[in-house]
Amino acid sequence: MTYCVGLLLDSGLVFMSDTRTNAGVDNISTYRKMQSWCVPGERFITLMTAGNLATTQSVVSLLEERSKAESDRNPSILEQPSMFRVAQLVGNTLREIIETQSGEGQKADATFSATMILGGQIAPGPMRLFLIYPEGNFIEASEDTPFLQIGETKYGRPILLRGFDPKMTFAEAIKLLLVSFDSTLKANLSVGLPFDLQVYEKDSHEIGYRNRIELDDAYYHAVSDGWGEALREAFKRIPPYEMKE
Amino acid sequence: MTYCVGLLLDSGLVFMSDTRTNAGVDNISTYRKMQSWCVPGERFITLMTAGNLATTQSVVSLLEERSKAESDRNPSILEQPSMFRVAQLVGNTLREIIETQSGEGQKADATFSATMILGGQIAPGPMRLFLIYPEGNFIEASEDTPFLQIGETKYGRPILLRGFDPKMTFAEAIKLLLVSFDSTLKANLSVGLPFDLQVYEKDSHEIGYRNRIELDDAYYHAVSDGWGEALREAFKRIPPYEMKE
């Protein structure tokens, strides 16, 4: 499993992904699930992936190769004129990979499915945030649904629904994400530290703040412990139920 | 979908279930998913059900019929000598129903699967709380895992993990359940009010406090609103993330 969240704030985008991959509980590894591309002053794009690792790595490799080899620069993620076109490119690449892997040779019990979150900004367009399905189609975050989740989405959703505010600062947004990730970690073994973090500031068109939150990150542990404590305090403040017969 | 939780407290058992059933989003109904049996001074048993409604109703009807018709009183839920035997009886009845429905006639796309929570006490035995699988086998709540959930379990789990304390009072436990149910309700349309509530006091062997929390229940709305507020307050108390470059 995996847990990735993309937030659409008024002031920019915040992305967080875990790094645990597993094939059964006895075969776990750490892989980066977040990839960013930047042409300073022109575009910044981040892609997060959930699902079959072979599929998501193939998609990223193909997008990477297409963006790097001069002779094969079309269609390239760095040449698309808009985020919508990038989403189409990623969606088509994803569908292509899944079709190729599903179509031939030995069959696997597992599916080759994958889901992705894509966000960024290409000048002169606005910031956009998409969720791309295995079928290659996609939906976009909006004012009404200002955050997107993929992977193990349920445990961490209530606090996002309750705590998200499009006007929050990046520091607050990161705190919110860590609480959401912590709730997920506590309930699902297949989501694990370290977490990758990427912030994009609106209209900057450059790589913003990024960090990897490691297993021994002091702030993460302060959030995890502090949140348990804060929740119990919050719970105490709700008046008790009255058992009227 | 459904959401049911059974809590094993030091002082007794608390059960809560929602009442929404659906076959697609355009076909929803309200059904009681909680059933209790009592022989005052001797035994108290509560059963909560999730899954295929035809299956769970059949199981309950069969258990009811067996418990009521004098001539057909064996095996009866009211004659089993221990909670373990009751769990076996319910498990076997469940497996029997699923086998019968799956085996013959027209096939359905949906499965006939169901999962149940069974709790209670039969003198002179201790209180026990079980989760019964569609296969008819079951697991028991213990000190380490003092609550059991069935149905849409994920959204409401983080607060149970953080907030549960076996020494809490019934009133606190009900508050905790309402917070957990509220988080689930906010995220999944197929879980809905009213909620059924049943409290069993340890060694009482009688029907304890019970209530149906209706759509317009003032306390539920106070919890729902208050919890959103309390969560935001709790969130504020966590120190902000420091974006060190």
Side-chain angles (χ1 to χ4, degrees), chain A residues 79-199:
Chain A
E79 292 200 339
Q80 300 302 315
S82 69
M83 283 305 295
F84 179 77
R85 289 295 191 86
V86 174
Q88 280 187 316
L89 171 64
V90 174
N92 290 341
T93 308
L94 175 58
R95 190 171 52 198
E96 192 182 300
I97 296 283
I98 292 176
E99 273 173 13
T100 310
Q101 293 185 334
S102 309
E104 306 160 7
Q106 195 178 330
K107 300 289 179 202
D109 285 341
T111 63
F112 298 116
S113 197
T115 313
M116 304 189 166
I117 290 176
L118 174 79
Q121 186 172 23
I122 296 177
M127 286 190 312
R128 297 180 79 171
L129 183 66
F130 297 98
L131 193 158
I132 302 172
Y133 294 105
E135 292 77 9
N137 58 352
F138 46 86
I139 57 170
E140 185 173 3
S142 67
E143 223 170 275
D144 294 324
T145 305
F147 59 85
L148 298 172
Q149 304 169 284
I150 54 176
E152 177 56 279
T153 60
K154 293 187 177 182
Y155 298 113
R157 192 171 176 82
I159 183 61
L160 290 179
L161 285 174
R162 272 350 218 287
F164 183 84
D165 175 358
K167 299 200 189 323
M168 69 204 316
T169 64
F170 291 134
E172 283 172 329
I174 294 167
K175 183 169 80 171
L176 180 66
L177 287 174
L178 284 176
V179 170
S180 175
F181 271 69
D182 180 54
S183 296
T184 309
L185 222 66
K186 287 248 183 313
N188 188 330
L189 275 184
S190 70
V191 175
L193 285 158
F195 303 145
D196 286 313
L197 167 66
Q198 171 72 57
V199 173

Side-chain angles (χ1 to χ4, degrees), chain A residues 175 211 219 235 238-239 241, chain B residues 162 175 211 219 224 238-239 241:
Chain A
K175 183 169 80 171
N211 194 12
Y219 180 72
F235 183 68
I238 311 261
Y241 182 79
Chain B
R162 269 352 217 288
K175 184 169 79 169
N211 195 10
Y219 180 73
S224 181
I238 310 261
Y241 181 79

